[in-house]
Amino acid sequence: MGLLDKRVLLVSTWFPSERDITEGSFVLADAKNLQKHGVNLLVVHLNKHGLNQTETYEGIKVVRIPLATSKPHSIVKAAVRVLPYIKRSDLLHTHAISSLLPLVLLPFNKPWVHTEHWSGLTTSAHRLPAWKRFILPQVLKVEKRPDVSVAVVEFLARPLRKIRGGKDTRVIPVVVPSPDQIVPRPNGKLTELVSIGGLVPGKDPIMAVETLALLVEQGENFHLTWVGDGPLREEVETKISATGAPVTLAGRVKPQEVPGYIENADMFFGPTRGDNFFTSAAESIVRGRPVVAGANGGHSEYLDPKVSELVSEGSPENFASAIKNVHEKTKKMTEAEIAATVGNRFSADTVATQYMDLYRSLLTH
């Protein structure tokens, strides 16, 4: 059965806009990929920015509806607004747990797919902020509603299955397109590292700075460029000044500029405290860059030990050792050999086929 005559409504609280061009970039990538493969798609962006308009964003038709997830009246208003779009669709596809909040109030009988990304499902409850611990039991109940839930890695699928009981829960990865041509690593006298992510506690940029400072003390010649911004910027800048660590903060960049930063590096370094898919690590591997990262997350499912090292006990000493080990064991490998360790498992065609097969199965039952 073709999907050209079926109307798919994608509802997400995460989607890029003029207010934040990086928010939900992976949801945009999925939407563009599905539309390219013939899916008749409309996006409803339930947004925290107060945007209330219909527009075409990078080729995708988007209806933007304001939603403040902490305000009950806003949730009700958004639910009323989104219901007509659901009724006119043949299949509903939601992204992110916050998108479910208005929908649980609504009476509808449509095939429903939900893709989950929330790191709170894989974070120990005691590590969550107090307000998240309070609402967690109520929020998790809404995960039971969709007909099929999709996790981007098995690491996230496991807690989802516990919540959903016997209901269908599957794994479909994020789209991480391979480049048309792989750019060789710089391989200069200075070994370039890159990290991509917010300057936030979970990404642990302070650990990155301390690791680079230690490498200098050990007589090593490494430099790190950190791509991204966030609330820890001032603290990170202070740490760089105090230690003299060879770290450059590139700040926030456009999504299309990220590949260039990866290609200008010899290796990806992400001292994360916990991630689900860890898109930037996957983006680095498909571009032929080896990876050193924190071990907690779903990236362990696709990172081959031949081209990576995951550090379970995060410390500058352990990360510095891992960086030197990975640099040594991969320096004679070609970029194509590194990229081949993941093959086409994250390609646009692979991911689109999995979603379209899922859509067809729901639409024919």
Side-chain angles (χ1 to χ4, degrees):
M1 182 190 71
L3 291 172
L4 289 174
D5 59 335
K6 300 298 179 181
R7 295 161 297 184
V8 175
L9 180 68
L10 193 157
V11 178
S12 179
T13 47
W14 296 352
F15 202 80
S17 68
E18 60 184 15
R19 297 288 182 86
D20 189 342
I21 61 173
T22 63
E23 179 186 46
S25 56
F26 45 86
V27 181
L28 173 62
D30 272 351
K32 291 169 75 171
N33 187 35
L34 289 167
Q35 185 167 277
K36 179 182 176 182
H37 283 80
V39 175
N40 181 2
L41 190 73
L42 172 67
V43 171
V44 169
H45 179 204
L46 302 172
N47 70 92
K48 62 186 177 184
H49 310 295
L51 298 173
N52 188 12
Q53 63 206 50
T54 298
E55 62 177 297
T56 299
Y57 189 92
E58 295 194 16
I60 302 293
K61 187 175 180 181
V62 184
V63 178
R64 303 199 191 266
I65 296 174
L67 171 65
T69 55
S70 60
K71 298 178 179 179
H73 71 278
S74 179
I75 295 174
V76 172
K77 286 177 67 175
V80 172
R81 290 277 307 279
V82 78
L83 182 57
Y85 294 102
I86 295 175
K87 288 183 174 180
R88 291 196 293 268
S89 69
D90 296 297
L91 182 143
L92 172 64
H93 187 168
T94 49
H95 272 265
I97 193 168
S98 49
S99 307
L100 300 177
L101 296 178
L103 303 187
V104 296
L105 304 174
L106 299 177
F108 63 88
N109 184 25
K110 300 282 184 178
W112 186 356
V113 176
H114 176 66
T115 299
E116 190 52 77
H117 310 263
W118 189 42
S119 60
L121 294 177
T122 54
T123 302
S124 298
H126 72 276
R127 293 176 58 188
L128 291 171
W131 69 271
K132 285 189 177 180
R133 291 199 302 271
F134 177 75
I135 67 167
L136 186 60
Q138 288 72 35
V139 171
L140 293 183
K141 290 178 182 178
V142 303
E143 291 280 5
K144 299 178 181 180
R145 281 284 307 274
D147 298 303
V148 179
S149 273
V150 174
V152 292
V153 282
E154 183 62 33
F155 179 72
L156 181 56
R158 285 193 292 270
L160 264 180
R161 290 192 184 101
K162 289 181 180 179
I163 295 164
R164 288 172 53 80
K167 295 196 76 173
D168 196 346
T169 303
R170 309 184 187 188
V171 175
I172 300 178
V174 173
V175 175
V176 184
S178 298
D180 295 331
Q181 185 173 3
I182 296 180
V183 176
R185 285 167 285 180
N187 285 324
K189 292 182 179 179
L190 184 67
T191 302
E192 293 287 349
L193 309 178
V194 66
S195 194
I196 300 162
L199 294 174
V200 295
K203 297 295 185 182
D204 212 346
I206 297 297
M207 178 68 72
V209 174
E210 292 175 345
T211 299
L212 268 291
L214 179 60
L215 285 167
V216 170
E217 287 180 20
Q218 295 173 344
E220 302 291 342
N221 208 11
F222 288 88
H223 172 265
L224 171 66
T225 299
W226 188 290
V227 181
D229 214 335
L232 293 184
R233 185 179 184 98
E234 185 175 342
E235 184 178 345
V236 173
E237 289 175 334
T238 300
K239 178 66 74 171
I240 292 171
S241 297
T243 61
V247 177
T248 299
L249 301 181
R252 182 174 294 186
V253 304
K254 295 177 180 178
Q256 58 267 34
E257 295 174 352
V258 169
Y261 282 93
I262 295 172
E263 290 167 352
N264 288 333
D266 296 286
M267 184 190 306
F268 177 85
F269 172 38
T272 177
R273 296 177 184 175
D275 261 274
N276 284 320
F277 185 76
F278 209 176
T279 303
S280 51
E283 289 174 329
S284 298
I285 288 290
V286 301
R287 285 176 169 77
R289 272 52 179 174
V291 169
V292 170
N296 185 35
H299 44 291
S300 63
E301 297 168 26
Y302 62 79
L303 289 175
D304 191 312
K306 294 196 298 288
V307 297
S308 67
E309 189 164 327
L310 302 180
V311 176
S312 299
E313 296 183 13
S315 69
E317 292 77 14
N318 289 343
F319 278 118
S321 176
I323 288 169
K324 290 185 289 186
N325 289 344
V326 171
H327 180 56
E328 182 64 27
K329 71 183 179 182
T330 60
K331 65 183 180 181
K332 293 184 179 179
M333 294 181 70
T334 67
E335 289 74 24
E337 288 171 335
I338 294 170
T341 61
V342 293
N344 66 352
R345 63 191 291 185
F346 307 138
S347 74
D349 287 346
T350 299
V351 174
T353 297
Q354 292 180 70
Y355 270 122
M356 291 171 74
D357 287 347
L358 173 55
Y359 289 174
R360 289 188 186 97
S361 69
L362 288 172
L363 288 166
T364 54
H365 283 81

